[in-house]
Amino acid sequence: ASPLLVFPLLLGGGTTSAAQGLTGVPSEYVDVLLRAGAICADVSPSILAAQVAQESTWDPNATSPVGAQGIAQFMPATWATHGLDGDGDGKADVLNPIDAIWSQGTYMCDLASTVTAWLDQGKVSGSVLDLTLAAYNAGLSNVETYHGIPPFPETQNYVATITTNAKNYVATGSAGTTASGNAVVAGAQKYFGVPYVWGGSSPTGVDCS
């Protein structure tokens, strides 16, 4: 079988220019936050970092009185549908922080896609990011029911807190670097599974250089 192209930027290890876009994040989570924050344009690594800090204060074993679990505080039913294997070990574990953060990014982008469609249809009002955060906290059904951010103090505070605190995780003077790094990661992800071909530079085969 042909060897598969591997991008070290996505798999951890070493220091990358993209990593300089985040600050105040535990080093073991920088790579997965950058990967998860490059899945879609509406959800950045700093937003995900602010969510994790708010949800669990970076505790992989956090639990809530209502049953939410792990670093990203997934409810069991939501995890059953949206939990993914983020570290390639063949299983999706809500208490594995890499799995949880990767799933968080994917789920947030799924929510963003839905609220974007609703905005286009005139079913809700607000910004894509605010509505996505509200949906993560209160559920899509409540966003739809109230045609925007639900009038729940917890949800309204959650949206305001995340959007404000996200700025604390962007390294000073590196906002452009973060966006550039996200673009590199997103571009690289399109080539997962593409075989190695000497001198190749197309989706049918690429050279490691």
Side-chain angles (χ1 to χ4, degrees):
S2 299
L4 302 182
L5 184 67
V6 175
F7 291 89
L9 175 63
L10 301 181
L11 302 179
T15 301
T16 69
S17 60
Q20 296 169 6
L22 284 176
T23 188
V25 172
S27 60
E28 62 268 34
Y29 303 138
V30 170
D31 284 345
V32 69
L33 284 165
L34 290 173
R35 286 197 293 129
I39 295 171
C40 66
D42 296 302
V43 181
S44 68
S46 60
I47 286 292
L48 296 177
Q51 277 188 286
V52 172
Q54 180 72 13
E55 295 282 357
S56 66
T57 59
W58 305 99
D59 179 2
N61 299 305
T63 58
S64 78
V66 296
Q69 298 176 299
I71 200 167
Q73 289 292 278
F74 275 95
M75 292 296 288
T78 305
W79 182 261
T81 304
H82 297 281
L84 299 171
D85 174 15
D87 62 2
D89 68 355
K91 57 184 177 181
D93 180 0
V94 71
L95 298 181
N96 177 328
I98 306 304
D99 290 354
I101 293 172
W102 177 246
S103 300
Q104 173 196 1
T106 301
Y107 181 46
M108 281 285 287
C109 286
D110 287 346
L111 295 174
S113 177
T114 298
V115 300
T116 297
W118 287 349
L119 283 165
D120 291 342
Q121 297 162 12
K123 295 175 66 175
V124 298
S125 61
S127 75
V128 172
L129 177 58
D130 287 355
L131 293 171
T132 299
L133 288 167
Y136 193 92
N137 178 261
L140 271 172
S141 61
N142 279 314
V143 172
E144 183 179 26
T145 296
Y146 292 100
H147 310 293
I149 299 174
F152 310 147
E154 177 189 333
T155 301
Q156 293 176 342
N157 289 337
Y158 183 83
V159 173
T161 298
I162 301 305
T163 52
T164 297
N165 289 350
K167 300 170 186 175
N168 298 330
Y169 295 99
V170 179
T172 303
S174 65
T177 302
T178 302
S180 176
N182 290 346
V184 170
V185 174
Q189 286 176 321
K190 298 176 183 177
Y191 290 89
F192 275 143
V194 175
Y196 172 84
V197 173
W198 178 262
S201 59
S202 75
T204 59
V206 263
D207 188 290
C208 61
S209 60

